[in-house]
Amino acid sequence: AGAYKHMQNDLTDNDQDAYSLTGQYIIDGKWVLKAGYAATSDSSNAKVDDASTAITARVGYLLPSAYLFMDVRDYDMEGDKNKDDGTNLLLGAEYYF
């Protein structure tokens, strides 16, 4: 799946583009592999690099009433600023009925 969006903020007269791409593959109806990429361009009136990116990967396993998964997420927020950058490892479970 993929998406593109052009955004305009009338209050600051800034334009910015955002786009994302995600792919998923299921093995034997049990294992789920998923990868994603999302980014924003520099703002049109930005005086510094303010583009952001996120790269994600997921491995999941389907049980009869639950979905167990592990995510790795790498963020590069607002260009050259390192304040909110980082890589996170998340473990999770979803239950359904």
Side-chain angles (χ1 to χ4, degrees), residues 41-93:
S41 64
D42 286 328
S43 300
S44 59
N45 291 334
K47 295 182 178 29
V48 296
D49 178 14
D50 68 347
S52 299
T53 60
I55 300 170
T56 62
R58 172 178 282 190
V59 175
Y61 187 76
L62 292 164
L63 296 169
S65 62
Y67 175 57
L68 307 175
F69 60 89
M70 180 181 69
D71 285 358
V72 176
R73 300 177 184 182
D74 182 63
Y75 300 106
D76 181 7
M77 306 301 287
E78 297 185 22
D80 295 333
K81 296 179 185 176
N82 292 324
K83 180 182 143 196
D84 297 320
D85 293 357
T87 301
N88 300 321
L89 176 66
L90 300 107
L91 301 174

Short mmCIF file of all heavy atoms in Angstrom, two decimals, residues 41-93:
data_model
loop_
_atom_site.label_atom_id
_atom_site.label_comp_id
_atom_site.label_asym_id
_atom_site.label_seq_id
_atom_site.Cartn_x
_atom_site.Cartn_y
_atom_site.Cartn_z
N SER A 41 8.67 15.85 3.25
CA SER A 41 9.68 16.68 2.61
C SER A 41 9.97 17.90 3.50
O SER A 41 9.27 18.15 4.48
CB SER A 41 9.20 17.14 1.24
OG SER A 41 8.05 17.97 1.40
N ASP A 42 10.97 18.66 3.12
CA ASP A 42 11.22 19.93 3.81
C ASP A 42 10.03 20.86 3.57
O ASP A 42 9.43 20.86 2.49
CB ASP A 42 12.47 20.61 3.27
CG ASP A 42 13.75 19.94 3.72
OD1 ASP A 42 13.76 19.39 4.84
OD2 ASP A 42 14.73 19.96 2.96
N SER A 43 9.69 21.65 4.56
CA SER A 43 8.65 22.66 4.39
C SER A 43 9.11 23.69 3.38
O SER A 43 10.30 23.99 3.28
CB SER A 43 8.36 23.36 5.72
OG SER A 43 7.92 22.44 6.68
N SER A 44 8.18 24.25 2.64
CA SER A 44 8.55 25.18 1.57
C SER A 44 9.25 26.43 2.09
O SER A 44 10.12 26.97 1.42
CB SER A 44 7.31 25.58 0.76
OG SER A 44 6.36 26.19 1.60
N ASN A 45 8.92 26.91 3.27
CA ASN A 45 9.55 28.11 3.82
C ASN A 45 10.55 27.81 4.92
O ASN A 45 10.95 28.70 5.66
CB ASN A 45 8.48 29.07 4.35
CG ASN A 45 7.66 29.67 3.23
OD1 ASN A 45 8.12 29.78 2.10
ND2 ASN A 45 6.43 30.02 3.53
N ALA A 46 10.95 26.55 5.02
CA ALA A 46 11.89 26.18 6.09
C ALA A 46 13.26 26.77 5.83
O ALA A 46 13.76 26.76 4.71
CB ALA A 46 11.99 24.66 6.18
N LYS A 47 13.86 27.28 6.87
CA LYS A 47 15.21 27.83 6.77
C LYS A 47 16.25 26.78 7.14
O LYS A 47 17.44 26.97 6.97
CB LYS A 47 15.33 29.05 7.66
CG LYS A 47 14.44 30.18 7.19
CD LYS A 47 14.60 31.41 8.04
CE LYS A 47 13.79 32.59 7.60
NZ LYS A 47 12.58 32.41 6.94
N VAL A 48 15.79 25.64 7.67
CA VAL A 48 16.66 24.51 8.02
C VAL A 48 15.99 23.23 7.51
O VAL A 48 14.82 23.23 7.15
CB VAL A 48 16.89 24.41 9.55
CG1 VAL A 48 17.64 25.62 10.06
CG2 VAL A 48 15.59 24.24 10.28
N ASP A 49 16.76 22.16 7.53
CA ASP A 49 16.24 20.85 7.14
C ASP A 49 15.20 20.41 8.17
O ASP A 49 15.53 20.21 9.33
CB ASP A 49 17.40 19.85 7.07
CG ASP A 49 16.96 18.45 6.72
OD1 ASP A 49 15.82 18.26 6.27
OD2 ASP A 49 17.78 17.53 6.90
N ASP A 50 13.93 20.28 7.76
CA ASP A 50 12.90 19.83 8.69
C ASP A 50 12.14 18.61 8.18
O ASP A 50 11.04 18.31 8.62
CB ASP A 50 11.93 20.96 9.06
CG ASP A 50 11.06 21.41 7.90
OD1 ASP A 50 11.35 21.03 6.74
OD2 ASP A 50 10.08 22.13 8.14
N ALA A 51 12.74 17.88 7.25
CA ALA A 51 12.14 16.65 6.74
C ALA A 51 12.26 15.55 7.80
O ALA A 51 13.18 15.54 8.62
CB ALA A 51 12.83 16.20 5.46
N SER A 52 11.32 14.61 7.79
CA SER A 52 11.32 13.50 8.74
C SER A 52 11.13 12.18 8.01
O SER A 52 10.49 12.14 6.96
CB SER A 52 10.20 13.66 9.76
OG SER A 52 10.35 14.84 10.51
N THR A 53 11.68 11.09 8.57
CA THR A 53 11.47 9.75 8.01
C THR A 53 11.25 8.76 9.14
O THR A 53 11.73 8.94 10.26
CB THR A 53 12.67 9.27 7.17
OG1 THR A 53 13.83 9.22 8.00
CG2 THR A 53 12.93 10.15 5.98
N ALA A 54 10.51 7.71 8.80
CA ALA A 54 10.30 6.59 9.72
C ALA A 54 10.41 5.31 8.90
O ALA A 54 9.77 5.17 7.85
CB ALA A 54 8.94 6.68 10.39
N ILE A 55 11.22 4.37 9.37
CA ILE A 55 11.38 3.07 8.73
C ILE A 55 10.98 2.02 9.76
O ILE A 55 11.46 2.05 10.89
CB ILE A 55 12.82 2.84 8.26
CG1 ILE A 55 13.23 3.92 7.26
CG2 ILE A 55 12.99 1.46 7.66
CD1 ILE A 55 14.70 3.93 6.92
N THR A 56 10.07 1.13 9.37
CA THR A 56 9.55 0.15 10.32
C THR A 56 9.64 -1.26 9.74
O THR A 56 9.58 -1.46 8.53
CB THR A 56 8.08 0.43 10.68
OG1 THR A 56 7.29 0.35 9.49
CG2 THR A 56 7.92 1.82 11.29
N ALA A 57 9.76 -2.23 10.64
CA ALA A 57 9.74 -3.65 10.26
C ALA A 57 8.99 -4.41 11.35
O ALA A 57 9.09 -4.07 12.53
CB ALA A 57 11.15 -4.19 10.12
N ARG A 58 8.23 -5.42 10.93
CA ARG A 58 7.45 -6.21 11.88
C ARG A 58 7.53 -7.68 11.52
O ARG A 58 7.46 -8.06 10.36
CB ARG A 58 5.99 -5.79 11.87
CG ARG A 58 5.09 -6.70 12.70
CD ARG A 58 3.67 -6.25 12.73
NE ARG A 58 3.57 -5.15 13.69
CZ ARG A 58 2.42 -4.63 14.11
NH1 ARG A 58 1.28 -5.09 13.64
NH2 ARG A 58 2.42 -3.65 14.98
N VAL A 59 7.67 -8.50 12.56
CA VAL A 59 7.51 -9.94 12.44
C VAL A 59 6.37 -10.31 13.37
O VAL A 59 6.40 -9.95 14.56
CB VAL A 59 8.80 -10.70 12.84
CG1 VAL A 59 8.57 -12.20 12.83
CG2 VAL A 59 9.94 -10.33 11.93
N GLY A 60 5.37 -11.00 12.85
CA GLY A 60 4.22 -11.37 13.67
C GLY A 60 3.88 -12.83 13.50
O GLY A 60 4.26 -13.48 12.52
N TYR A 61 3.15 -13.36 14.48
CA TYR A 61 2.71 -14.75 14.44
C TYR A 61 1.23 -14.80 14.81
O TYR A 61 0.82 -14.25 15.85
CB TYR A 61 3.53 -15.62 15.40
CG TYR A 61 3.23 -17.09 15.26
CD1 TYR A 61 3.74 -17.80 14.18
CD2 TYR A 61 2.43 -17.75 16.17
CE1 TYR A 61 3.47 -19.14 14.03
CE2 TYR A 61 2.16 -19.10 16.03
CZ TYR A 61 2.68 -19.79 14.95
OH TYR A 61 2.40 -21.12 14.79
N LEU A 62 0.43 -15.45 13.97
CA LEU A 62 -1.01 -15.55 14.19
C LEU A 62 -1.35 -16.82 14.96
O LEU A 62 -1.00 -17.93 14.54
CB LEU A 62 -1.75 -15.56 12.84
CG LEU A 62 -1.70 -14.26 12.06
CD1 LEU A 62 -2.11 -14.49 10.61
CD2 LEU A 62 -2.59 -13.22 12.70
N LEU A 63 -2.03 -16.67 16.07
CA LEU A 63 -2.58 -17.78 16.85
C LEU A 63 -4.09 -17.82 16.63
O LEU A 63 -4.65 -16.90 16.03
CB LEU A 63 -2.25 -17.59 18.34
CG LEU A 63 -0.76 -17.62 18.69
CD1 LEU A 63 -0.55 -17.14 20.12
CD2 LEU A 63 -0.21 -19.01 18.51
N PRO A 64 -4.78 -18.84 17.12
CA PRO A 64 -6.24 -18.90 16.90
C PRO A 64 -7.01 -17.67 17.40
O PRO A 64 -8.01 -17.30 16.80
CB PRO A 64 -6.66 -20.16 17.66
CG PRO A 64 -5.45 -21.03 17.63
CD PRO A 64 -4.29 -20.08 17.73
N SER A 65 -6.60 -17.03 18.47
CA SER A 65 -7.34 -15.85 18.94
C SER A 65 -6.41 -14.70 19.33
O SER A 65 -6.82 -13.81 20.07
CB SER A 65 -8.22 -16.22 20.13
OG SER A 65 -7.43 -16.68 21.20
N ALA A 66 -5.17 -14.73 18.86
CA ALA A 66 -4.23 -13.65 19.20
C ALA A 66 -3.22 -13.47 18.07
O ALA A 66 -2.99 -14.37 17.27
CB ALA A 66 -3.51 -13.97 20.50
N TYR A 67 -2.64 -12.29 18.06
CA TYR A 67 -1.58 -11.95 17.11
C TYR A 67 -0.41 -11.41 17.93
O TYR A 67 -0.53 -10.39 18.60
CB TYR A 67 -2.10 -10.90 16.12
CG TYR A 67 -1.09 -10.37 15.16
CD1 TYR A 67 -0.39 -11.22 14.32
CD2 TYR A 67 -0.84 -9.01 15.05
CE1 TYR A 67 0.56 -10.73 13.42
CE2 TYR A 67 0.08 -8.51 14.15
CZ TYR A 67 0.77 -9.38 13.35
OH TYR A 67 1.69 -8.89 12.44
N LEU A 68 0.71 -12.11 17.92
CA LEU A 68 1.91 -11.71 18.63
C LEU A 68 2.87 -11.07 17.64
O LEU A 68 3.05 -11.58 16.53
CB LEU A 68 2.58 -12.91 19.29
CG LEU A 68 1.69 -13.77 20.18
CD1 LEU A 68 2.45 -15.00 20.65
CD2 LEU A 68 1.16 -12.97 21.34
N PHE A 69 3.51 -9.95 18.03
CA PHE A 69 4.38 -9.29 17.07
C PHE A 69 5.55 -8.59 17.76
O PHE A 69 5.51 -8.29 18.95
CB PHE A 69 3.61 -8.28 16.22
CG PHE A 69 2.94 -7.18 16.99
CD1 PHE A 69 3.62 -6.00 17.25
CD2 PHE A 69 1.64 -7.32 17.45
CE1 PHE A 69 3.01 -4.99 17.95
CE2 PHE A 69 1.03 -6.31 18.15
CZ PHE A 69 1.71 -5.13 18.40
N MET A 70 6.58 -8.33 16.95
CA MET A 70 7.74 -7.57 17.35
C MET A 70 8.00 -6.53 16.26
O MET A 70 8.08 -6.85 15.08
CB MET A 70 8.97 -8.46 17.51
CG MET A 70 10.21 -7.70 17.93
SD MET A 70 11.68 -8.73 18.10
CE MET A 70 11.99 -9.17 16.40
N ASP A 71 8.10 -5.27 16.67
CA ASP A 71 8.36 -4.17 15.75
C ASP A 71 9.73 -3.57 16.02
O ASP A 71 10.14 -3.46 17.18
CB ASP A 71 7.34 -3.04 15.94
CG ASP A 71 5.98 -3.35 15.37
OD1 ASP A 71 5.80 -4.43 14.79
OD2 ASP A 71 5.09 -2.49 15.50
N VAL A 72 10.39 -3.14 14.96
CA VAL A 72 11.57 -2.31 15.06
C VAL A 72 11.23 -1.04 14.28
O VAL A 72 10.83 -1.10 13.12
CB VAL A 72 12.82 -2.99 14.45
CG1 VAL A 72 14.00 -2.05 14.47
CG2 VAL A 72 13.13 -4.27 15.17
N ARG A 73 11.39 0.11 14.94
CA ARG A 73 11.04 1.39 14.33
C ARG A 73 12.21 2.35 14.46
O ARG A 73 12.71 2.58 15.56
CB ARG A 73 9.80 1.98 15.01
CG ARG A 73 8.60 1.08 14.90
CD ARG A 73 7.43 1.65 15.65
NE ARG A 73 6.30 0.72 15.62
CZ ARG A 73 5.13 0.98 16.16
NH1 ARG A 73 4.93 2.13 16.78
NH2 ARG A 73 4.17 0.10 16.10
N ASP A 74 12.62 2.91 13.34
CA ASP A 74 13.72 3.87 13.31
C ASP A 74 13.18 5.22 12.85
O ASP A 74 12.59 5.32 11.78
CB ASP A 74 14.83 3.40 12.38
CG ASP A 74 16.00 4.35 12.37
OD1 ASP A 74 16.62 4.51 13.43
OD2 ASP A 74 16.26 4.95 11.31
N TYR A 75 13.38 6.25 13.68
CA TYR A 75 12.86 7.58 13.40
C TYR A 75 14.01 8.57 13.21
O TYR A 75 14.95 8.60 13.99
CB TYR A 75 11.99 8.07 14.57
CG TYR A 75 10.80 7.19 14.85
CD1 TYR A 75 10.78 6.36 15.96
CD2 TYR A 75 9.69 7.20 14.02
CE1 TYR A 75 9.69 5.56 16.23
CE2 TYR A 75 8.60 6.41 14.28
CZ TYR A 75 8.60 5.59 15.39
OH TYR A 75 7.52 4.79 15.65
N ASP A 76 13.89 9.40 12.18
CA ASP A 76 14.77 10.54 11.95
C ASP A 76 13.84 11.75 11.83
O ASP A 76 13.30 12.02 10.76
CB ASP A 76 15.60 10.35 10.70
CG ASP A 76 16.55 11.52 10.45
OD1 ASP A 76 16.65 12.40 11.32
OD2 ASP A 76 17.17 11.54 9.37
N MET A 77 13.64 12.45 12.92
CA MET A 77 12.65 13.51 12.97
C MET A 77 13.29 14.88 12.77
O MET A 77 14.36 15.16 13.30
CB MET A 77 11.91 13.48 14.32
CG MET A 77 11.31 12.13 14.63
SD MET A 77 10.12 11.54 13.41
CE MET A 77 8.75 12.59 13.76
N GLU A 78 12.63 15.70 12.00
CA GLU A 78 13.01 17.10 11.76
C GLU A 78 14.45 17.28 11.32
O GLU A 78 15.22 18.06 11.89
CB GLU A 78 12.69 17.95 12.99
CG GLU A 78 11.22 17.99 13.30
CD GLU A 78 10.88 18.93 14.45
OE1 GLU A 78 11.68 19.85 14.74
OE2 GLU A 78 9.83 18.72 15.05
N GLY A 79 14.83 16.53 10.31
CA GLY A 79 16.12 16.71 9.66
C GLY A 79 17.33 16.54 10.54
O GLY A 79 17.54 15.50 11.13
N ASP A 80 18.12 17.61 10.64
CA ASP A 80 19.40 17.54 11.35
C ASP A 80 19.27 17.53 12.87
O ASP A 80 20.24 17.27 13.57
CB ASP A 80 20.29 18.72 10.93
CG ASP A 80 20.66 18.62 9.46
OD1 ASP A 80 20.71 17.49 8.94
OD2 ASP A 80 20.91 19.68 8.85
N LYS A 81 18.09 17.83 13.39
CA LYS A 81 17.90 17.78 14.84
C LYS A 81 17.93 16.33 15.29
O LYS A 81 17.36 15.46 14.66
CB LYS A 81 16.57 18.41 15.23
CG LYS A 81 16.45 19.87 14.92
CD LYS A 81 15.08 20.39 15.32
CE LYS A 81 14.88 21.82 14.91
NZ LYS A 81 13.53 22.28 15.21
N ASN A 82 18.58 16.06 16.39
CA ASN A 82 18.67 14.69 16.90
C ASN A 82 17.81 14.47 18.14
O ASN A 82 17.83 13.39 18.72
CB ASN A 82 20.12 14.32 17.22
CG ASN A 82 20.95 14.23 15.95
OD1 ASN A 82 20.47 13.79 14.91
ND2 ASN A 82 22.19 14.68 16.03
N LYS A 83 17.07 15.46 18.54
CA LYS A 83 16.31 15.40 19.79
C LYS A 83 15.33 14.23 19.83
O LYS A 83 15.25 13.50 20.80
CB LYS A 83 15.57 16.72 19.98
CG LYS A 83 14.74 16.79 21.23
CD LYS A 83 14.02 18.12 21.30
CE LYS A 83 12.66 17.88 21.89
NZ LYS A 83 11.72 18.93 21.71
N ASP A 84 14.56 14.02 18.78
CA ASP A 84 13.53 12.98 18.77
C ASP A 84 13.90 11.77 17.92
O ASP A 84 13.06 10.92 17.66
CB ASP A 84 12.21 13.56 18.28
CG ASP A 84 11.67 14.64 19.20
OD1 ASP A 84 11.78 14.46 20.43
OD2 ASP A 84 11.14 15.65 18.70
N ASP A 85 15.15 11.68 17.46
CA ASP A 85 15.58 10.54 16.66
C ASP A 85 15.76 9.32 17.55
O ASP A 85 15.99 9.44 18.75
CB ASP A 85 16.92 10.83 15.97
CG ASP A 85 16.79 11.92 14.91
OD1 ASP A 85 15.67 12.40 14.68
OD2 ASP A 85 17.83 12.29 14.34
N GLY A 86 15.70 8.15 16.94
CA GLY A 86 15.97 6.95 17.72
C GLY A 86 15.41 5.70 17.07
O GLY A 86 14.64 5.76 16.11
N THR A 87 15.81 4.58 17.61
CA THR A 87 15.32 3.27 17.18
C THR A 87 14.67 2.60 18.37
O THR A 87 15.25 2.56 19.46
CB THR A 87 16.48 2.40 16.64
OG1 THR A 87 17.09 3.11 15.55
CG2 THR A 87 15.98 1.07 16.15
N ASN A 88 13.47 2.10 18.17
CA ASN A 88 12.71 1.46 19.24
C ASN A 88 12.39 0.02 18.88
O ASN A 88 12.11 -0.29 17.72
CB ASN A 88 11.41 2.20 19.50
CG ASN A 88 11.62 3.63 19.92
OD1 ASN A 88 12.53 3.91 20.68
ND2 ASN A 88 10.80 4.53 19.43
N LEU A 89 12.39 -0.85 19.88
CA LEU A 89 11.96 -2.23 19.74
C LEU A 89 10.69 -2.39 20.57
O LEU A 89 10.68 -2.05 21.76
CB LEU A 89 13.05 -3.19 20.25
CG LEU A 89 12.69 -4.67 20.25
CD1 LEU A 89 12.53 -5.17 18.82
CD2 LEU A 89 13.75 -5.47 20.96
N LEU A 90 9.63 -2.88 19.95
CA LEU A 90 8.36 -3.04 20.64
C LEU A 90 7.88 -4.48 20.53
O LEU A 90 7.98 -5.09 19.45
CB LEU A 90 7.30 -2.10 20.03
CG LEU A 90 7.63 -0.63 20.10
CD1 LEU A 90 8.01 -0.12 18.73
CD2 LEU A 90 6.45 0.12 20.63
N LEU A 91 7.36 -5.01 21.60
CA LEU A 91 6.72 -6.32 21.62
C LEU A 91 5.25 -6.11 21.92
O LEU A 91 4.91 -5.29 22.79
CB LEU A 91 7.35 -7.22 22.68
CG LEU A 91 8.85 -7.48 22.52
CD1 LEU A 91 9.37 -8.27 23.72
CD2 LEU A 91 9.12 -8.23 21.23
N GLY A 92 4.39 -6.85 21.24
CA GLY A 92 2.97 -6.63 21.46
C GLY A 92 2.13 -7.86 21.20
O GLY A 92 2.59 -8.86 20.64
N ALA A 93 0.89 -7.77 21.64
CA ALA A 93 -0.10 -8.83 21.41
C ALA A 93 -1.45 -8.18 21.18
O ALA A 93 -1.81 -7.21 21.84
CB ALA A 93 -0.16 -9.76 22.62
#
